[in-house]
Amino acid sequence: MRLNLRSFFVRLIPLFLLGSIGAMALAQQGGLPIPNVSIDLGPGAQGGAPNQVSASLQILALLTVLSLAPAILILTTAFTRIVIILGFVRNALGTPSIPPNQVLIGLSLFLTFFVMAPTYDQIQKEALQPYLKNEISLEVAIDRAEAPLRTFMLRNTYEKDLMLFLNMRNETPQTQDEVNFVTLVPAFIISELKTAFIVGFYIFVPFIVIDLIVASGLMSMGMMMMPPTVIALPAKVLVFVLADGWSILMQAILSGYMR
């Protein structure tokens, strides 16, 4: 199995996603086999077997990139936008510890899986399954796995942000397939951050209005010693519940990706 080492490092993201989807698919089928991996760069590998050295280096690089797995799963999916929006909701309500962080992160993860399901299904059908059946090589599987992920990221990246990084690297891709992952990932991340902060601003507006109304009411009644949050907090929670805030919020988040 020959694979250029430089391109291997550049394409670690789709390779990791391909492996993750494959592990989940095998686990669902029942019984995940544990391979016996041995990395040997001793005299046997030096005696005229360059393929063994190349394969060992690739396995070593793959094991190294596993430490970056959380960052890869977070920054190349919808998780960043979702968790920031949920954090804005919690702060706007004035309940910094409710819902707890575990609940917000868990909800964000499941919403991320829901959003990314079509992309991962396409990767599994077009790249993973043919590779497991030995119909295509690893390099072809990585190429096929890149396409759906690239399409998702480009669809949710502002053109201005993408052009910023393209100009900084003096790149002029003619098609979407020519956009480098090294350029696309940071552009996608700042686009997700920008979208999340825009949504967060709209979330804060109605709750700020409630705070102003409560503060004005207390001042008009001469109750300046009472903290406005004592009255505003249950009022904001009541308005959020009566407006079916969680359903509306989930619909707004998911509709942003279902375009």
Side-chain angles (χ1 to χ4, degrees):
M1 176 180 61
R2 292 180 177 271
L3 185 62
N4 184 274
L5 194 57
R6 181 180 178 182
S7 63
F8 178 78
F9 278 104
V10 173
R11 295 148 77 182
L12 281 175
I13 294 176
L15 179 64
F16 172 76
L17 291 175
L18 188 64
S20 301
I21 298 172
M24 291 187 293
L26 291 175
Q28 292 177 355
Q29 292 175 2
L32 180 62
I34 302 177
N36 183 14
V37 179
S38 176
I39 301 177
D40 185 8
L41 297 178
Q46 297 175 358
N51 288 341
Q52 296 180 9
V53 178
S54 177
S56 298
L57 290 176
Q58 292 174 22
I59 294 173
L60 182 62
L62 185 59
L63 294 177
T64 303
V65 81
L66 288 178
S67 61
L68 303 176
I72 293 175
L73 288 176
I74 288 173
L75 299 180
T76 60
T77 62
F79 181 84
T80 302
R81 183 195 301 187
I82 295 172
V83 73
I84 291 176
I85 291 175
L86 294 180
F88 273 123
V89 172
R90 186 171 65 178
N91 290 332
L93 283 170
T95 55
S97 60
I98 301 175
N101 289 332
Q102 294 87 343
V103 175
L104 289 187
I105 294 175
L107 178 59
S108 300
L109 284 174
F110 278 100
L111 289 176
T112 301
F113 293 149
F114 182 85
V115 171
M116 300 299 297
T119 301
Y120 288 162
D121 288 342
Q122 187 176 356
I123 293 175
Q124 182 178 0
K125 293 178 182 178
E126 298 181 0
L128 178 62
Q129 293 300 329
Y131 174 70
L132 294 178
K133 296 177 181 178
N134 294 324
E135 297 176 356
I136 58 177
S137 64
L138 177 60
E139 188 171 12
V140 175
I142 294 175
D143 289 334
R144 292 186 180 182
E146 283 182 357
L149 186 61
R150 188 193 309 273
T151 301
F152 170 81
M153 297 173 70
L154 285 173
R155 188 171 62 244
N156 296 283
T157 302
Y158 292 109
E159 182 178 355
K160 180 181 178 181
D161 296 332
L162 182 59
M163 291 302 300
L164 170 64
F165 290 95
L166 289 175
N167 293 334
M168 293 179 67
R169 298 195 62 183
N170 295 321
E171 296 180 355
T172 55
Q174 302 299 322
T175 61
Q176 293 184 352
D177 296 336
E178 297 179 3
V179 178
N180 197 330
F181 256 93
V182 177
T183 304
L184 178 58
V185 171
F188 171 75
I189 294 171
I190 64 173
S191 295
E192 290 290 278
L193 290 174
K194 183 184 299 183
T195 303
F197 273 72
I198 292 173
V199 175
F201 169 77
Y202 287 112
I203 290 173
F204 262 98
V205 170
F207 295 112
I208 291 177
V209 172
I210 295 176
D211 288 331
L212 292 175
I213 294 174
V214 171
S216 299
L218 291 177
M219 290 185 64
S220 64
M221 291 185 295
M223 304 174 64
M224 292 178 292
M225 299 301 295
M226 177 177 287
T229 55
V230 175
I231 307 299
L233 179 57
K236 289 189 287 188
V237 173
L238 179 62
V239 170
F240 190 74
V241 172
L242 293 178
D244 198 10
W246 288 114
S247 297
I248 296 176
L249 182 63
M250 296 302 106
Q251 183 179 0
I253 292 175
L254 297 178
S255 63
Y257 291 102
M258 304 301 177
R259 317 187 249 115

